[in-house]
Amino acid sequence: MLSVSIVTPVFNSMRTLDAFMDAIRMQDFPHDRMEIVFADGGSTDGTREKIQAWERDGVTASAGAASAGAGAGTGNSAAIAVRLLDNPLKTAEAGKAVAVRQVRGDIVCLLDSDNTPPDEKWRGQMMQPFERAEIVASEPISYTWRREDTAMTRYCAMLGMSDPLCLYAGNYDRVCAVSGTWTKVPHQEEDCGTYLAIAFDQGMMPTIGANGFCMRREQLVDSFEGDYLFDIDVLWELIQKKPETRIAKVKNGIVHLVYPDVRTFARKQNRRIRDFLFFSGNKGRKYPWSSVGMGKVVLFCLCTVTVVPVIVQALIGFVRKGDLRAWLLHPVCCWVTLFIYAWGVVSGIFVKKQADRSNWKQ
């Protein structure tokens, strides 16, 4: 059986850390074939101390889960190994680079601290596609909607993305209630029952590679260099070298506790645009984002300014997946994104620097 290393960058992540670990410890995948490697960017909210305790004591399943696992012969009475590494560059991409170079498992799973697997079968389902040698990576096909989550989190789960601009670019990678599909990027897919085997051409890819993304360790380590691991860049480079590469979109979901409120959404959008401009300006990115097309960005601006198109999108989403309170956030999030991205681009002409993370929290 293949082993798996879960890579999780953290930085003041106490808001979601317990839910993250509770979901991992409930997995019925053999715990002695799992490890979790955290890369901490200098947390000051107790995140580091909590992980150090897990590192010292190990993480075991609850009594009921351990009993069920042991009865099934999965070895879930064993503790999950935990390691804590330092991430001096603080960003999630830098943390992934630090951790991936230290993992031991056959498969690397990039699971952020605000991700939680929706059920105990999740890990095994994500590993199943690797039975085929040509499949190098797997990823959930959707985000899991839960009534108990915040309206912002429910909205992003139904939209299938955390940035509404991607709806216009078409380069999202999870099922979207507005469009009814998981991506608009041209691709070939083969239905393999529990997952789709996907082939992309060498021209464009969706924003695939995070929030439960799994990849064979050898290919992942060989596909990036430097101090930062940008997930979509890794797959882009691999597909340029090996067009026959296949990626599995597994027919399950992942809970993404991305935004507790609109204020956090705005803060993360500001970080996203500033980091993007900084690394693009310094040639730190490989994926040709210009292939998205300026026309799609202009369309997003026009639809947001005129309001009516984004309201229509929210109504379509509501009809397909009811949750009025969450869908009312769509016009708001489009307007916030337009303002912050526009300001980021204008200010970036004069100053290109990473977003300030001195007071960052999840």
Side-chain angles (χ1 to χ4, degrees):
M1 179 177 288
L2 295 173
S3 58
V4 60
S5 295
I6 297 172
V7 166
T8 304
V10 291
F11 188 19
N12 293 335
S13 302
M14 284 295 288
R15 178 177 70 89
T16 58
L17 201 55
D18 283 332
F20 168 89
M21 188 57 79
D22 286 345
I24 297 300
R25 68 194 303 201
M26 290 298 295
Q27 294 299 298
D28 64 6
F29 189 83
H31 286 183
D32 56 1
R33 304 295 292 169
M34 296 171 62
E35 69 168 351
I36 309 173
V37 183
F38 291 98
D40 179 52
S43 297
T44 59
D45 68 340
T47 294
R48 188 175 184 87
E49 290 75 13
K50 181 177 284 289
I51 295 173
Q52 286 173 332
W54 288 333
E55 184 177 30
R56 181 184 64 248
D57 303 330
V59 174
T60 57
S62 62
S67 177
T74 60
N76 278 5
S77 58
I80 302 172
V82 173
R83 285 189 285 156
L84 175 64
L85 305 176
D86 292 324
N87 172 22
L89 295 178
K90 297 184 181 297
T91 72
E93 294 77 17
K96 292 174 185 178
V98 167
V100 164
R101 290 192 170 101
Q102 299 292 325
V103 298
R104 302 163 182 158
D106 302 304
I107 306 298
V108 178
C109 176
L110 302 180
L111 199 65
D112 292 341
S113 61
D114 59 2
N115 296 150
T116 58
D119 56 61
E120 70 277 4
K121 302 291 185 182
W122 186 85
R123 170 52 49 206
Q125 292 171 343
M126 295 303 300
M127 298 290 280
Q128 183 181 356
F130 294 105
E131 295 173 358
R132 292 177 54 173
E134 71 274 21
I135 291 180
V136 301
S138 67
E139 184 181 77
I141 200 168
S142 64
Y143 288 120
T144 302
W145 180 93
R146 303 186 307 180
R147 187 174 299 280
E148 65 267 27
D149 291 329
T150 66
M152 275 298 307
T153 293
R154 301 198 310 270
Y155 160 67
C156 291
M158 295 184 292
L159 192 65
M161 61 203 82
S162 56
D163 187 344
L165 175 57
C166 293
L167 180 60
Y168 292 83
N171 62 344
Y172 49 91
D173 68 328
R174 308 293 164 109
V175 173
C176 173
V178 175
S179 67
T181 185
W182 67 271
T183 191
K184 287 291 186 179
V185 174
H187 64 279
Q188 301 172 17
E189 65 181 47
E190 173 192 355
D191 194 330
C192 301
T194 58
Y195 64 90
L196 304 176
I198 307 297
F200 296 106
D201 63 28
Q202 294 174 293
M204 187 177 176
M205 279 178 51
T207 54
I208 197 169
N211 300 310
F213 175 79
C214 302
M215 189 171 181
R216 298 184 190 273
R217 175 170 55 86
E218 291 184 2
Q219 283 92 339
L220 180 56
V221 172
D222 291 343
S223 298
F224 84 97
E225 57 187 16
D227 295 328
Y228 299 90
L229 191 163
F230 296 101
D231 34 52
I232 189 174
D233 291 0
V234 168
L235 278 177
W236 170 258
E237 295 243 280
L238 182 60
I239 289 176
Q240 303 316 297
K241 298 174 184 176
K242 298 180 179 180
E244 70 276 9
T245 297
R246 294 293 183 272
I247 300 164
K249 292 294 292 186
V250 183
K251 296 177 183 179
N252 61 12
I254 185 76
V255 177
H256 190 194
L257 302 173
V258 57
Y259 307 124
D261 47 44
V262 175
R263 182 178 180 180
T264 305
F265 170 77
R267 180 163 51 88
K268 289 191 175 184
Q269 290 295 75
N270 179 64
R271 182 191 66 174
R272 182 177 284 120
I273 187 63
R274 291 189 179 279
D275 283 355
F276 171 75
L277 293 173
F278 174 80
F279 286 107
S280 297
N282 286 277
K283 309 300 181 184
R285 303 301 304 268
K286 304 294 184 181
Y287 179 77
W289 285 99
S290 59
S291 63
V292 171
M294 185 55 65
K296 295 176 181 178
V297 176
V298 172
L299 179 62
F300 165 74
C301 296
L302 292 175
C303 290
T304 300
V305 169
T306 55
V307 181
V308 173
V310 296
I311 292 177
V312 170
Q313 290 171 344
L315 289 173
I316 292 172
F318 174 70
V319 169
R320 290 178 172 170
K321 178 69 175 178
D323 187 340
L324 181 60
R325 183 183 174 191
W327 283 113
L328 287 174
L329 291 168
H330 183 56
V332 176
C333 290
C334 287
W335 263 99
V336 170
T337 298
L338 175 60
F339 176 79
I340 289 178
Y341 281 12
W343 175 250
V345 170
V346 172
S347 61
I349 296 174
F350 305 99
V351 179
K352 286 186 172 64
K353 64 178 182 179
Q354 289 180 263
D356 181 17
R357 285 171 167 78
S358 58
N359 296 311
W360 183 260
K361 61 180 179 179
Q362 184 59 259

